[in-house]
Amino acid sequence: MRVVLDTNVLLVSIPTKSMYRIIFNALIDGTIELALSNDILTEYHEIIAEKTNGVIAQNIGQLLVHLPNVFKTEIHYKWHLIKKDADDNKFVDCAIAGNADYLVTNDRHFRILSEIDFPKITVISINEFVEILSKSP
């Protein structure tokens, strides 16, 4: 299962005592594949450094770059599907280019994608994703 994780999803999945840690563990153990673009990696680093510190952000970034189930995704076309927060389009473009099964986010700006027939992107909430992971063997 290949996914794109919104920054807040990754952020809340990192702490070992987080109820969402199953996501980070699935990433580490290779249960899921992550599509990742340079823009997303940069945002991950910035936000993790802001919320924790630079060392943790650097370590997470290095982990993501070196995991065999993380796929560097080149964005060759920008779809501009989200108008309310154009910065969110980096996740949409990565999901399309990376052929992701799911874009995982709780951000309401992504709701517009359910009204778009092409390209079709399946957006699910963090709780829906945890439920899917909980049912996986």
Side-chain angles (χ1 to χ4, degrees), residues 83-107:
K83 307 292 187 221
K84 297 239 180 205
D85 187 354
D87 194 44
D88 287 337
N89 282 305
K90 70 170 95 27
F91 298 98
V92 176
D93 295 338
C94 186
I96 295 166
N99 198 28
D101 298 300
Y102 302 112
L103 194 163
V104 185
T105 184
N106 281 346
D107 188 330

Side-chain angles (χ1 to χ4, degrees), residues 1-136:
M1 168 181 7
R2 186 170 292 185
V3 300
V4 171
L5 301 177
D6 191 6
T7 305
N8 288 326
V9 172
L10 178 66
L11 186 66
V12 299
S13 73
I14 295 170
T16 55
K17 295 189 187 226
S18 169
M19 64 189 283
Y20 302 111
R21 178 62 185 214
I22 188 174
I23 296 169
F24 197 70
N25 289 344
L27 183 58
I28 292 170
D29 69 22
T31 303
I32 61 172
E33 296 178 345
L34 179 68
L36 184 65
S37 68
N38 281 336
D39 287 344
I40 293 173
L41 184 61
T42 299
E43 181 172 310
Y44 283 174
H45 186 274
E46 289 172 2
I47 300 300
I48 293 169
E50 180 183 302
K51 300 292 184 185
T52 61
N53 63 56
V55 173
I56 292 172
Q58 186 68 28
N59 289 342
I60 297 291
Q62 286 298 310
L63 173 69
L64 294 176
V65 168
H66 289 97
L67 283 172
N69 55 315
V70 174
F71 295 91
K72 172 93 170 50
T73 305
E74 296 292 331
I75 308 301
H76 298 288
Y77 183 80
K78 298 191 180 205
W79 290 87
H80 302 287
L81 298 177
I82 298 178
K83 307 292 187 221
K84 297 239 180 205
D85 187 354
D87 194 44
D88 287 337
N89 282 305
K90 70 170 95 27
F91 298 98
V92 176
D93 295 338
C94 186
I96 295 166
N99 198 28
D101 298 300
Y102 302 112
L103 194 163
V104 185
T105 184
N106 281 346
D107 188 330
R108 60 180 161 54
H109 294 126
F110 290 88
R111 291 183 190 150
I112 190 72
L113 298 176
S114 66
E115 300 171 16
I116 298 171
D117 292 327
F118 182 83
K120 195 64 182 158
I121 302 162
T122 304
V123 178
I124 62 172
S125 72
I126 190 170
N127 289 327
E128 290 170 313
F129 191 49
V130 165
E131 188 174 324
I132 289 168
L133 290 175
S134 298
K135 292 178 181 176
S136 294

